[in-house]
Amino acid sequence: MTDIIHLLPDAVANQIAAGEVIQRPASAVKELIENSVDAGSTTIKLLLKDAGKVLIQVIDNGKGMSETDARMCFERHATSKITKAEDLFAITTKGFRGEALASIAAIAQVELKTRREEDEVGTQITIEGCVVQAQEACSTSIGTSIAIKNLFYNVPARRNFLKSNPVETSHIIDEFQRVALAHPEIEFSLNHNGADLFILPKSNLRQRIVSLFGNNYNQRLVPVEEKTFIVKISGFIGKPEFAKKTRGEQFFFVNNRFIRNAYLHHAVQSAYEQLLPRESHPSYFLFLEVAPNSIDINIHPTKTEIKFEDEKAIYAILRSSIKKSLGQHNLTPTIDFEQEASISLDGPPKDRIIEAPKIRVNPEYNPFKTQTTFESTRAFNGPSLLQRANLQNWEKLYEGHQVSTEKSQEVSIETSSKQEIINPKWENDFSEVSKSLTYQLHGRYILSHIKTGFIIVDQQSAHERILFEKFLSNLTNHKAGSQQLLFPETVEFNAADTSLMMLLLPSLNDLGFALEEFGKNSFVVHGKPPLLSDADSKKHLESILEEFKKNQSELKLQTTENLARSMAYYSSIKSGKILSNEEMKGIIDELFACEQPYASPAGKPTLTTFSLEDLEKRFKK
Ligand code: ADP
Ligand code: MG
């Protein structure tokens, strides 16, 4: 018998290796931006088409490459960053494996243009499936521009495995944010399908956090600073009162490289002990600096997990430095709309008599008089008992003001309650809110009067919150309105989604679907939640499953919460939808009937307030 073992051709070997390094557009984005950072760029632009599936282009003003290097960089194990094994223990660059470009070139069409400062002309190279198609001189500015087209064009199995554009885009944004946080000194931009998602000027860390996550972060951050022999810690942590129900912004960087580390995460979480409401998570942006030879970054191909030599000591130092920062800063929350989710470190004033909360019973209360209506949410079950009580209470707060009195045509409240619970906080904050005055800004925000100024409600976040609580209640009470279909639809899924569908079937039915298993990976849809009456059921169910899977892998949410959240996100009113006055009032009403009105299920603020004082200040001479 002849020998049968042979070496794989480079193209095949690279394609196999690519599976490890490039799983999705986001992995390519990470590798390319990191290369630009390693090249000493001060400006890095990222352009995407269709979530990176069609195009990922990174343009930098770094040191560029010579004509030969431009060809060499696509070879496997070709790197300028290390030369000998010992270098592995003193890594100061992001890349060092020399695998990324070889992997990308094996599974995409790549166009590279690059020029060094010392060269008069640049070089341009086109490569497809590892084969160089052309290389020629070109005129281009100093730096490198690399365009990756049609990722996985020659690996259809992988291409089909990619998720929907929003999911892939969100993975890309995650990677982009991680590099952008680690390098506030570099100017970054991200443009997707012609729209600028981020434009981040050169700045410091605090400003970078704010430009990435929103202006309201500025007041939420507490600096952390600690220097020891073992580790130097710097960065910011979020004030406890802004902690989120879901894991929000939590970033560790070791030697400026984003990492995940459950053990260190625990150190942070435990420093907040007793400062946080149960099951809420603080934000943090923490940078650890350790001697490069005390860590092993080689442990994982995508390099987000690392091993420390001195893990226990680092844990202790991290925990105590966070405790110190929390203690040093005055963290007593001011009375504001966020207070609901906050803790107060001070007790009540000594001279105040403490009263037990009151439950007032209103014999006049008639639930059928509920006047708040809101088209899309009304179609579901009526609000929960507590919500209804709050809603009534909310109405009461408007007393003396002109309140819309249109009759609801479709009140689906089935039990009556004679209880009215007054929430003293809202009584203070929102009395004299003039509900008749609402205004929509840019199709995204709802502006409404309050006694002390005005509030701005984010329509999408608010509606997600409303639906989320509604769906959670549907899931616990096992009933929701359903719209029967005249002609039942059959929908088919792949094997993995079928098993997920089987798991979720009872819950989906609780949410207003009327689904039945039909064998062979298919299901019959007899009815749908009224909110989702348009378009086809397959699209709805697929999108909900997609959201669900994303939450499952990223947030490890429990099934019920995850499903309610996925459905709420999917079926909410989106930013950009023009709303009628009635609809806006409906949102405000229902938002304040929520148990947690201040944040979307994902933890985004639903509203923000502006006081008259703030306004007066702005109009001072
Ligand atoms: P690694 O980053 O691990 O070295 P890559 O495959 O990502 O491996 O890149 C190979 C080499 O190509 C790098 O070592 C670097 O010399 C060069 N290179 C890649 N991208 C750029 C860039 N944007 N600017 C300058 N040189 C680059
Ligand atoms: Mg690299």
Side-chain angles (χ1 to χ4, degrees):
M1 220 169 134
T2 50
D3 299 333
I4 51 171
I5 299 178
H6 57 92
L7 288 174
L8 287 175
D10 273 356
V12 180
N14 281 340
Q15 202 170 339
I16 295 169
E20 286 252 304
V21 187
I22 309 294
Q23 287 104 12
R24 50 177 12 126
S27 353
V29 165
K30 170 181 187 279
E31 295 295 340
L32 296 183
I33 314 183
E34 289 191 345
N35 279 346
S36 297
V37 171
D38 285 344
S41 314
T42 55
T43 306
I44 300 174
K45 293 189 183 126
L46 169 61
L47 306 172
L48 303 170
K49 271 202 196 124
D50 293 349
K53 293 174 185 170
V54 173
L55 173 77
I56 300 169
Q57 184 170 17
V58 174
I59 305 169
D60 69 41
N61 64 351
K63 65 179 180 220
M65 282 178 262
S66 71
E67 200 185 316
T68 318
D69 284 350
R71 224 177 19 252
M72 265 303 277
C73 72
F74 293 108
E75 296 291 329
R76 198 135 71 97
H77 307 306
T79 180
S80 56
K81 299 169 193 173
I82 55 172
T83 50
K84 49 189 187 303
E86 295 87 86
D87 294 347
L88 274 176
F89 302 100
I91 286 172
T92 52
T93 51
K94 304 269 179 204
F96 58 87
R97 294 166 159 260
E99 279 179 334
L101 293 185
S103 300
I104 291 172
I107 46 156
Q109 296 149 345
V110 181
E111 206 180 285
L112 171 81
K113 275 187 188 178
T114 186
R115 179 161 79 88
R116 298 179 302 176
E117 196 176 3
E118 61 263 43
D119 297 333
E120 295 247 307
V121 287
T123 184
Q124 174 172 5
I125 188 163
T126 329
I127 188 164
E128 200 176 304
C130 273
V131 181
V132 177
Q133 308 286 320
Q135 179 167 17
E136 57 205 24
C138 73
S139 86
T140 179
S141 33
I142 295 171
T144 303
S145 158
I146 180 161
I148 312 294
K149 293 178 190 162
N150 305 317
L151 198 68
F152 301 126
Y153 80 102
N154 54 354
V155 204
R158 286 223 149 229
R159 199 171 168 87
N160 295 338
F161 186 71
L162 292 179
K163 301 284 182 330
S164 65
N165 284 1
V167 173
E168 293 300 341
T169 309
S170 97
H171 284 296
I172 292 178
I173 292 175
D174 285 347
E175 296 292 356
F176 177 82
Q177 287 178 335
R178 290 167 190 167
V179 187
L181 276 173
H183 294 280
E185 77 284 359
I186 299 177
E187 184 183 320
F188 285 93
S189 64
L190 166 51
N191 180 294
H192 185 208
N193 288 339
D196 286 324
L197 296 189
F198 293 97
I199 295 180
L200 310 171
K202 171 179 181 309
S203 62
N204 58 25
L205 178 61
R206 182 187 272 270
Q207 283 162 349
R208 180 56 51 95
I209 295 171
V210 169
S211 354
L212 279 169
F213 301 106
N215 274 334
N216 48 11
Y217 268 74
N218 203 8
Q219 44 144 346
R220 301 182 178 189
L221 301 174
V222 179
V224 179
E225 203 71 67
E226 191 71 65
K227 270 188 200 147
T228 68
F229 283 120
I230 302 175
V231 60
K232 195 177 138 211
I233 301 171
S234 63
F236 292 93
I237 51 173
K239 294 181 185 172
E241 64 265 37
F242 297 107
K244 295 176 171 179
K245 283 279 167 216
T246 54
R247 289 201 178 183
E249 284 68 53
Q250 301 187 330
F251 297 89
F252 275 124
F253 299 87
V254 172
N255 296 357
N256 244 11
R257 181 194 299 278
F258 171 81
I259 59 136
R260 290 172 219 274
N261 188 309
Y263 186 61
L264 294 186
H265 169 75
H266 189 266
V268 178
Q269 190 87 22
S270 77
Y272 278 84
E273 237 163 37
Q274 285 148 25
L275 292 180
L276 292 180
R278 224 166 58 86
E279 284 176 25
S280 57
H281 306 271
S283 310
Y284 55 82
F285 309 86
L286 292 167
F287 291 75
L288 278 60
E289 253 178 70
V290 293
N293 62 0
S294 72
I295 49 172
D296 178 6
I297 20 183
N298 214 359
I299 191 167
H300 193 266
T302 51
K303 296 169 282 182
T304 56
E305 276 151 31
I306 68 170
K307 261 216 300 250
F308 292 91
E309 209 174 77
D310 232 340
E311 211 169 36
K312 282 204 175 120
I314 294 179
Y315 181 102
I317 297 166
L318 182 62
R319 184 166 185 268
S320 76
S321 61
I322 291 176
K323 282 198 150 197
K324 193 169 88 185
S325 292
L326 287 171
Q328 262 169 8
H329 287 265
N330 177 10
L331 299 180
T332 317
T334 46
I335 301 205
D336 62 15
F337 289 81
E338 309 270 1
Q339 205 189 21
E340 192 77 350
S342 75
I343 50 93
S344 165
L345 297 181
D346 283 348
K350 286 197 184 62
D351 50 353
R352 209 184 98 191
I353 302 158
I354 300 171
E355 283 178 48
K358 283 190 198 111
I359 295 181
R360 290 185 223 162
V361 176
N362 172 9
E364 301 300 306
Y365 174 68
N366 174 354
F368 293 96
K369 273 198 187 146
T370 304
Q371 277 143 6
T372 50
T373 68
F374 181 48
E375 276 305 317
S376 50
T377 54
R378 194 189 45 194
F380 275 83
N381 267 3
S384 72
L385 211 64
L386 178 69
Q387 286 174 333
R388 251 180 285 134
N390 281 343
L391 206 64
Q392 282 288 312
N393 170 43
W394 184 231
E395 290 286 340
K396 225 176 147 134
L397 301 179
Y398 286 97
E399 266 171 16
H401 285 263
Q402 207 197 336
V403 172
S404 143
T405 52
E406 274 150 62
K407 283 266 172 327
S408 158
Q409 297 151 355
E410 199 189 313
V411 183
S412 56
I413 296 167
E414 45 331 293
T415 41
S416 72
S417 160
K418 297 253 181 272
Q419 275 196 352
E420 191 185 2
I421 300 166
I422 302 291
N423 180 333
K425 177 173 156 41
W426 294 350
E427 208 163 27
N428 292 337
D429 289 343
F430 292 107
S431 49
E432 291 186 44
V433 175
S434 179
K435 210 172 58 162
S436 53
L437 288 177
T438 55
Y439 183 80
Q440 191 181 26
L441 289 172
H442 297 282
R444 294 178 61 179
Y445 303 106
I446 305 166
L447 203 143
S448 179
H449 240 215
I450 57 170
K451 181 179 174 186
T452 54
F454 62 96
I455 55 172
I456 299 182
V457 174
D458 179 320
Q459 68 190 48
Q460 181 171 342
S461 296
H463 198 219
E464 275 175 38
R465 160 57 59 187
I466 295 166
L467 292 179
F468 174 68
E469 294 200 2
K470 203 150 284 208
F471 293 152
L472 268 188
S473 126
N474 289 160
L475 285 168
T476 358
N477 301 331
H478 306 294
K479 56 176 177 233
S482 177
Q483 193 161 303
Q484 292 300 302
L485 300 183
L486 220 47
F487 305 103
E489 295 170 47
T490 313
V491 287
E492 217 180 295
F493 295 92
N494 63 30
D497 284 354
T498 303
S499 60
L500 186 57
M501 274 296 290
M502 293 298 289
L503 173 80
L504 298 180
L505 196 74
S507 307
L508 285 166
N509 285 341
D510 284 342
L511 289 172
F513 280 98
L515 292 165
E516 203 185 3
E517 199 205 339
F518 197 54
K520 284 207 184 129
N521 294 354
S522 61
F523 297 82
V524 186
V525 190
H526 297 286
K528 284 190 276 202
L531 260 181
L532 302 178
S533 56
D534 64 329
D536 62 316
S537 310
K538 186 166 168 63
K539 182 174 156 267
H540 291 322
L541 288 166
E542 273 177 351
S543 312
I544 294 164
L545 291 190
E546 211 50 69
E547 260 318 289
F548 186 90
K549 284 187 275 186
K550 193 178 113 204
N551 290 342
Q552 201 175 32
S553 70
E554 287 172 11
L555 307 165
K556 313 254 179 299
L557 296 178
Q558 291 210 324
T559 306
T560 318
E561 185 186 346
N562 187 348
L563 188 60
R565 214 169 121 165
S566 306
M567 273 275 283
Y569 173 77
Y570 178 66
S571 40
S572 61
I573 287 180
K574 298 291 178 290
S575 278
K577 181 166 193 301
I578 303 301
L579 301 174
S580 70
N581 234 10
E582 265 319 294
E583 287 173 320
M584 289 191 270
K585 284 182 215 155
I587 289 187
I588 294 185
D589 279 344
E590 298 221 10
L591 181 63
F592 285 99
C594 284
E595 283 168 33
Q596 303 269 356
Y598 304 104
S600 77
K604 279 207 234 156
T606 50
L607 61 89
T608 181
T609 58
F610 290 83
S611 66
L612 280 177
E613 261 169 43
D614 287 344
L615 286 179
E616 273 159 20
K617 266 188 220 147
R618 280 171 185 267
F619 288 102
K620 275 219 173 94
K621 259 213 294 193

